[in-house]
Amino acid sequence: MPEGDTVYQAARRLDQALTGRTVERTDFRVPAYATVDLAGQPVHSVASRGKHLLMRIGDQVVHSHLKMEGEWRVYRPGQRWTRPGFQARAVVAVPGAVAVGFDLGVLEVFPASEEADRMAYLGPDVLGPDWDAAEATARIASKADVPIAVALGEQRNLAGLGNVYVNEACFVRGIRPDRATATVDVPPLVDVARRMIVANRDRIARTTTGNDRRGERLWVYGRAGEPCRRCGTAIEHGRLGRNDVELRDSYWCPSCQT
């Protein structure tokens, strides 16, 4: 699933292409919103909120979540799309640009007056103007019996971190992802996780090791069975989640993380 930095970059591209222009055409290819027409309305802004993307048009908000396969691409008018048309879920056209949302996991349109309430369940946005380290730390720490990787990745505690950053931050802090949150010094973990994602929000290729070479950009994520970059011990793999439906892959070094 795309993480907060990916959604942040997508929102920035869309904002640059759409904001300040008047919508010429919209096409929402989901039954609930198939009749919605925002033509003639101004695009006020496009922004990310954690892993959510909010396109503010007129007095409405087009809300999308990329989930696993979704993405937004921007084309010139008349340009051939680079993904099949049947995968398109939303089209927003303005003079000089056409934004197409493909395979969006969530797509809805609602009144702008409802945005604050609809997004209120999210924790502080790690890349947003509302970032509050103390609040995020308190929310995570309140999940005392939950594995730290689950608490850190829960969007109600801290919005924007995904599984890559969760695993990488736990490694850097020397913490096994399955440790109970009550046993973890949470503030430094939150701090390093945020510094990682902030450092990557403008990068094309994400890196947490500081090495930008292909295959050397991550410490543990996706590296099960490979040697730890610090000590050489084989990286281990497991799955953690709040329940069986929400299990996520976890990776750790059994020597460097305790």
Side-chain angles (χ1 to χ4, degrees):
M1 182 180 294
E3 311 216 0
D5 53 346
T6 301
V7 182
Y8 175 91
Q9 291 176 9
R12 185 168 56 187
R13 288 193 298 270
L14 290 168
D15 190 64
Q16 291 171 347
L18 305 179
T19 295
R21 302 181 183 184
T22 299
V23 174
E24 295 180 325
R25 176 174 64 93
T26 56
D27 182 5
F28 300 112
R29 301 179 181 183
V30 294
Y33 305 101
T35 61
V36 173
D37 182 3
L38 299 181
Q41 300 299 311
V43 181
H44 301 302
S45 67
V46 183
S48 60
R49 178 76 172 84
K51 298 181 182 181
H52 301 259
L53 197 146
L54 303 163
M55 190 180 293
R56 295 146 182 158
I57 302 175
D59 60 359
Q60 300 291 307
V61 174
V62 179
H63 166 229
S64 58
H65 194 298
L66 305 182
K67 296 293 184 179
M68 293 299 294
E69 304 295 336
E71 67 173 330
W72 281 90
R73 294 187 181 183
V74 178
Y75 301 96
R76 298 184 304 277
Q79 182 181 359
R80 184 183 179 88
W81 294 355
T82 51
R83 288 186 59 167
F86 71 85
Q87 295 179 352
R89 297 293 176 267
V91 180
V92 178
V94 300
V98 179
V100 185
F102 295 98
D103 281 342
L104 303 174
V106 172
L107 176 65
E108 58 181 353
V109 183
F110 55 76
S113 59
E114 298 179 7
E115 179 184 327
D117 287 341
R118 287 175 178 259
M119 298 291 110
Y121 75 95
L122 294 170
D125 184 352
V126 70
L127 291 177
D130 71 323
W131 172 244
D132 185 332
E135 175 65 18
T137 296
R139 292 189 183 204
I140 293 168
S142 70
K143 306 299 189 293
D145 297 328
V146 174
I148 185 59
V150 176
L152 186 62
E154 171 55 56
Q155 300 302 292
R156 289 175 173 82
N157 299 334
L158 186 162
L161 286 187
N163 212 27
V164 176
Y165 286 113
V166 166
N167 280 271
E168 295 293 286
C170 285
F171 174 81
V172 170
R173 288 294 302 161
I175 300 165
R176 275 182 60 114
D178 57 354
R179 272 181 57 180
T181 296
T183 69
V184 174
D185 188 7
V186 176
L189 179 61
V190 169
D191 178 66
V192 76
R194 181 171 187 266
R195 285 192 285 114
M196 279 182 176
I197 195 169
V198 168
N200 280 286
R201 67 183 175 188
D202 297 322
R203 288 181 177 271
I204 296 175
R206 178 186 298 143
T207 177
T208 59
T209 62
N211 190 332
D212 201 33
R213 295 179 180 176
R214 185 183 297 273
E216 299 182 17
R217 293 169 179 152
L218 300 176
W219 290 107
V220 293
Y221 187 82
R223 301 188 61 243
E226 297 181 30
C228 173
R229 300 192 193 282
R230 284 182 176 169
C231 72
T233 303
I235 299 299
E236 296 188 357
H237 169 258
R239 306 198 78 197
L240 294 170
R242 294 187 302 176
N243 52 56
D244 291 343
V245 177
E246 298 181 6
L247 292 175
R248 299 290 183 267
D249 291 312
S250 292
Y251 303 87
W252 68 92
C253 172
S255 296
C256 295
Q257 293 170 261
T258 61

mmCIF file of all heavy atoms in Angstrom, residues 151-176:
data_model
loop_
_atom_site.group_PDB
_atom_site.id
_atom_site.type_symbol
_atom_site.label_atom_id
_atom_site.label_comp_id
_atom_site.label_asym_id
_atom_site.label_seq_id
_atom_site.Cartn_x
_atom_site.Cartn_y
_atom_site.Cartn_z
ATOM 1 N N ALA A 151 0.815 -0.568 16.620
ATOM 2 C CA ALA A 151 0.451 0.740 17.169
ATOM 3 C C ALA A 151 1.031 1.877 16.337
ATOM 4 O O ALA A 151 0.374 2.893 16.105
ATOM 5 C CB ALA A 151 0.925 0.851 18.613
ATOM 6 N N LEU A 152 2.264 1.712 15.869
ATOM 7 C CA LEU A 152 2.920 2.763 15.092
ATOM 8 C C LEU A 152 2.274 2.921 13.718
ATOM 9 O O LEU A 152 2.210 4.033 13.184
ATOM 10 C CB LEU A 152 4.408 2.437 14.943
ATOM 11 C CG LEU A 152 5.297 3.496 14.284
ATOM 12 C CD1 LEU A 152 5.308 4.788 15.094
ATOM 13 C CD2 LEU A 152 6.730 2.962 14.134
ATOM 14 N N GLY A 153 1.785 1.836 13.149
ATOM 15 C CA GLY A 153 1.185 1.898 11.827
ATOM 16 C C GLY A 153 -0.300 2.207 11.824
ATOM 17 O O GLY A 153 -0.874 2.420 10.756
ATOM 18 N N GLU A 154 -0.921 2.247 13.005
ATOM 19 C CA GLU A 154 -2.353 2.536 13.088
ATOM 20 C C GLU A 154 -2.621 3.998 12.759
ATOM 21 O O GLU A 154 -2.127 4.897 13.432
ATOM 22 C CB GLU A 154 -2.862 2.197 14.499
ATOM 23 C CG GLU A 154 -4.274 2.650 14.799
ATOM 24 C CD GLU A 154 -5.269 2.134 13.777
ATOM 25 O OE1 GLU A 154 -5.336 0.902 13.592
ATOM 26 O OE2 GLU A 154 -5.948 2.983 13.170
ATOM 27 N N GLN A 155 -3.417 4.242 11.720
ATOM 28 C CA GLN A 155 -3.641 5.614 11.233
ATOM 29 C C GLN A 155 -4.397 6.480 12.232
ATOM 30 O O GLN A 155 -4.315 7.712 12.174
ATOM 31 C CB GLN A 155 -4.381 5.577 9.901
ATOM 32 C CG GLN A 155 -3.633 4.828 8.806
ATOM 33 C CD GLN A 155 -2.252 5.406 8.531
ATOM 34 O OE1 GLN A 155 -2.135 6.521 8.033
ATOM 35 N NE2 GLN A 155 -1.198 4.654 8.850
ATOM 36 N N ARG A 156 -5.111 5.895 13.144
ATOM 37 C CA ARG A 156 -5.786 6.660 14.190
ATOM 38 C C ARG A 156 -4.789 7.222 15.205
ATOM 39 O O ARG A 156 -5.108 8.156 15.939
ATOM 40 C CB ARG A 156 -6.827 5.803 14.905
ATOM 41 C CG ARG A 156 -8.054 5.488 14.068
ATOM 42 C CD ARG A 156 -8.988 4.542 14.791
ATOM 43 N NE ARG A 156 -10.237 4.363 14.063
ATOM 44 C CZ ARG A 156 -10.414 3.542 13.038
ATOM 45 N NH1 ARG A 156 -9.366 2.832 12.604
ATOM 46 N NH2 ARG A 156 -11.575 3.440 12.433
ATOM 47 N N ASN A 157 -3.614 6.645 15.253
ATOM 48 C CA ASN A 157 -2.578 7.130 16.169
ATOM 49 C C ASN A 157 -1.677 8.160 15.496
ATOM 50 O O ASN A 157 -1.337 9.193 16.091
ATOM 51 C CB ASN A 157 -1.726 5.963 16.670
ATOM 52 C CG ASN A 157 -2.538 4.947 17.432
ATOM 53 O OD1 ASN A 157 -3.579 5.265 18.005
ATOM 54 N ND2 ASN A 157 -2.077 3.703 17.436
ATOM 55 N N LEU A 158 -1.280 7.839 14.279
ATOM 56 C CA LEU A 158 -0.346 8.672 13.521
ATOM 57 C C LEU A 158 -0.644 8.443 12.048
ATOM 58 O O LEU A 158 -0.546 7.313 11.571
ATOM 59 C CB LEU A 158 1.088 8.285 13.872
ATOM 60 C CG LEU A 158 2.248 9.107 13.324
ATOM 61 C CD1 LEU A 158 3.510 8.838 14.138
ATOM 62 C CD2 LEU A 158 2.526 8.779 11.873
ATOM 63 N N ALA A 159 -1.038 9.477 11.335
ATOM 64 C CA ALA A 159 -1.468 9.315 9.945
ATOM 65 C C ALA A 159 -0.300 9.468 8.982
ATOM 66 O O ALA A 159 0.436 10.451 9.046
ATOM 67 C CB ALA A 159 -2.553 10.341 9.607
ATOM 68 N N GLY A 160 -0.146 8.490 8.093
ATOM 69 C CA GLY A 160 0.842 8.606 7.026
ATOM 70 C C GLY A 160 1.899 7.530 6.991
ATOM 71 O O GLY A 160 2.441 7.229 5.928
ATOM 72 N N LEU A 161 2.229 6.944 8.124
ATOM 73 C CA LEU A 161 3.243 5.896 8.123
ATOM 74 C C LEU A 161 2.649 4.592 7.607
ATOM 75 O O LEU A 161 1.544 4.212 7.966
ATOM 76 C CB LEU A 161 3.785 5.644 9.537
ATOM 77 C CG LEU A 161 4.720 6.668 10.153
ATOM 78 C CD1 LEU A 161 5.247 6.125 11.474
ATOM 79 C CD2 LEU A 161 5.873 7.009 9.222
ATOM 80 N N GLY A 162 3.402 3.910 6.770
ATOM 81 C CA GLY A 162 3.012 2.598 6.296
ATOM 82 C C GLY A 162 3.990 1.547 6.780
ATOM 83 O O GLY A 162 4.889 1.815 7.594
ATOM 84 N N ASN A 163 3.847 0.344 6.265
ATOM 85 C CA ASN A 163 4.595 -0.787 6.780
ATOM 86 C C ASN A 163 6.093 -0.684 6.545
ATOM 87 O O ASN A 163 6.895 -1.175 7.349
ATOM 88 C CB ASN A 163 4.053 -2.070 6.138
ATOM 89 C CG ASN A 163 4.158 -3.256 7.065
ATOM 90 O OD1 ASN A 163 4.150 -3.097 8.286
ATOM 91 N ND2 ASN A 163 4.251 -4.439 6.506
ATOM 92 N N VAL A 164 6.499 -0.050 5.445
ATOM 93 C CA VAL A 164 7.935 0.099 5.197
ATOM 94 C C VAL A 164 8.572 0.933 6.307
ATOM 95 O O VAL A 164 9.551 0.519 6.944
ATOM 96 C CB VAL A 164 8.202 0.744 3.827
ATOM 97 C CG1 VAL A 164 9.706 0.987 3.644
ATOM 98 C CG2 VAL A 164 7.682 -0.135 2.704
ATOM 99 N N TYR A 165 8.022 2.117 6.553
ATOM 100 C CA TYR A 165 8.603 2.992 7.559
ATOM 101 C C TYR A 165 8.496 2.404 8.968
ATOM 102 O O TYR A 165 9.389 2.589 9.796
ATOM 103 C CB TYR A 165 7.947 4.372 7.508
ATOM 104 C CG TYR A 165 8.392 5.187 6.331
ATOM 105 C CD1 TYR A 165 7.510 5.509 5.314
ATOM 106 C CD2 TYR A 165 9.710 5.621 6.211
ATOM 107 C CE1 TYR A 165 7.920 6.249 4.204
ATOM 108 C CE2 TYR A 165 10.130 6.355 5.112
ATOM 109 C CZ TYR A 165 9.238 6.661 4.116
ATOM 110 O OH TYR A 165 9.659 7.383 3.031
ATOM 111 N N VAL A 166 7.424 1.712 9.243
ATOM 112 C CA VAL A 166 7.266 1.084 10.557
ATOM 113 C C VAL A 166 8.396 0.094 10.800
ATOM 114 O O VAL A 166 9.060 0.111 11.848
ATOM 115 C CB VAL A 166 5.895 0.386 10.659
ATOM 116 C CG1 VAL A 166 5.858 -0.542 11.875
ATOM 117 C CG2 VAL A 166 4.774 1.423 10.752
ATOM 118 N N ASN A 167 8.639 -0.793 9.835
ATOM 119 C CA ASN A 167 9.700 -1.785 9.989
ATOM 120 C C ASN A 167 11.085 -1.157 10.045
ATOM 121 O O ASN A 167 11.935 -1.551 10.860
ATOM 122 C CB ASN A 167 9.628 -2.788 8.838
ATOM 123 C CG ASN A 167 8.573 -3.848 9.037
ATOM 124 O OD1 ASN A 167 8.828 -4.899 9.624
ATOM 125 N ND2 ASN A 167 7.368 -3.577 8.563
ATOM 126 N N GLU A 168 11.311 -0.174 9.196
ATOM 127 C CA GLU A 168 12.625 0.455 9.146
ATOM 128 C C GLU A 168 12.914 1.257 10.415
ATOM 129 O O GLU A 168 14.035 1.237 10.937
ATOM 130 C CB GLU A 168 12.712 1.362 7.912
ATOM 131 C CG GLU A 168 12.641 0.609 6.590
ATOM 132 C CD GLU A 168 13.860 -0.274 6.361
ATOM 133 O OE1 GLU A 168 14.948 0.248 6.051
ATOM 134 O OE2 GLU A 168 13.721 -1.506 6.510
ATOM 135 N N ALA A 169 11.914 1.961 10.943
ATOM 136 C CA ALA A 169 12.104 2.732 12.172
ATOM 137 C C ALA A 169 12.372 1.810 13.356
ATOM 138 O O ALA A 169 13.223 2.107 14.202
ATOM 139 C CB ALA A 169 10.882 3.603 12.444
ATOM 140 N N CYS A 170 11.655 0.687 13.409
ATOM 141 C CA CYS A 170 11.901 -0.271 14.492
ATOM 142 C C CYS A 170 13.330 -0.800 14.436
ATOM 143 O O CYS A 170 13.994 -0.957 15.477
ATOM 144 C CB CYS A 170 10.899 -1.419 14.424
ATOM 145 S SG CYS A 170 9.240 -1.012 14.996
ATOM 146 N N PHE A 171 13.831 -1.058 13.226
ATOM 147 C CA PHE A 171 15.215 -1.526 13.118
ATOM 148 C C PHE A 171 16.197 -0.477 13.615
ATOM 149 O O PHE A 171 17.108 -0.778 14.406
ATOM 150 C CB PHE A 171 15.551 -1.893 11.675
ATOM 151 C CG PHE A 171 17.002 -2.243 11.490
ATOM 152 C CD1 PHE A 171 17.473 -3.499 11.815
ATOM 153 C CD2 PHE A 171 17.913 -1.289 11.038
ATOM 154 C CE1 PHE A 171 18.838 -3.811 11.684
ATOM 155 C CE2 PHE A 171 19.263 -1.585 10.909
ATOM 156 C CZ PHE A 171 19.725 -2.857 11.243
ATOM 157 N N VAL A 172 16.041 0.743 13.138
ATOM 158 C CA VAL A 172 16.980 1.807 13.517
ATOM 159 C C VAL A 172 16.996 2.012 15.033
ATOM 160 O O VAL A 172 18.045 2.287 15.616
ATOM 161 C CB VAL A 172 16.633 3.114 12.781
ATOM 162 C CG1 VAL A 172 17.425 4.291 13.343
ATOM 163 C CG2 VAL A 172 16.919 2.961 11.287
ATOM 164 N N ARG A 173 15.864 1.837 15.681
ATOM 165 C CA ARG A 173 15.786 2.007 17.131
ATOM 166 C C ARG A 173 16.126 0.721 17.886
ATOM 167 O O ARG A 173 16.139 0.708 19.112
ATOM 168 C CB ARG A 173 14.390 2.476 17.522
ATOM 169 C CG ARG A 173 14.094 3.920 17.151
ATOM 170 C CD ARG A 173 14.960 4.887 17.945
ATOM 171 N NE ARG A 173 14.767 4.709 19.387
ATOM 172 C CZ ARG A 173 15.616 5.123 20.321
ATOM 173 N NH1 ARG A 173 16.736 5.730 19.974
ATOM 174 N NH2 ARG A 173 15.357 4.935 21.592
ATOM 175 N N GLY A 174 16.388 -0.387 17.160
ATOM 176 C CA GLY A 174 16.764 -1.633 17.821
ATOM 177 C C GLY A 174 15.625 -2.307 18.544
ATOM 178 O O GLY A 174 15.829 -2.973 19.564
ATOM 179 N N ILE A 175 14.411 -2.176 18.011
ATOM 180 C CA ILE A 175 13.206 -2.696 18.661
ATOM 181 C C ILE A 175 12.564 -3.762 17.785
ATOM 182 O O ILE A 175 12.285 -3.517 16.615
ATOM 183 C CB ILE A 175 12.187 -1.554 18.886
ATOM 184 C CG1 ILE A 175 12.795 -0.475 19.770
ATOM 185 C CG2 ILE A 175 10.887 -2.084 19.479
ATOM 186 C CD1 ILE A 175 12.013 0.818 19.750
ATOM 187 N N ARG A 176 12.303 -4.920 18.341
ATOM 188 C CA ARG A 176 11.557 -5.939 17.602
ATOM 189 C C ARG A 176 10.143 -5.434 17.363
ATOM 190 O O ARG A 176 9.512 -4.876 18.263
ATOM 191 C CB ARG A 176 11.511 -7.255 18.381
ATOM 192 C CG ARG A 176 12.719 -8.146 18.167
ATOM 193 C CD ARG A 176 12.563 -9.439 18.948
ATOM 194 N NE ARG A 176 11.380 -10.184 18.531
ATOM 195 C CZ ARG A 176 11.419 -11.377 17.920
ATOM 196 N NH1 ARG A 176 12.591 -11.928 17.646
ATOM 197 N NH2 ARG A 176 10.320 -11.998 17.591
#
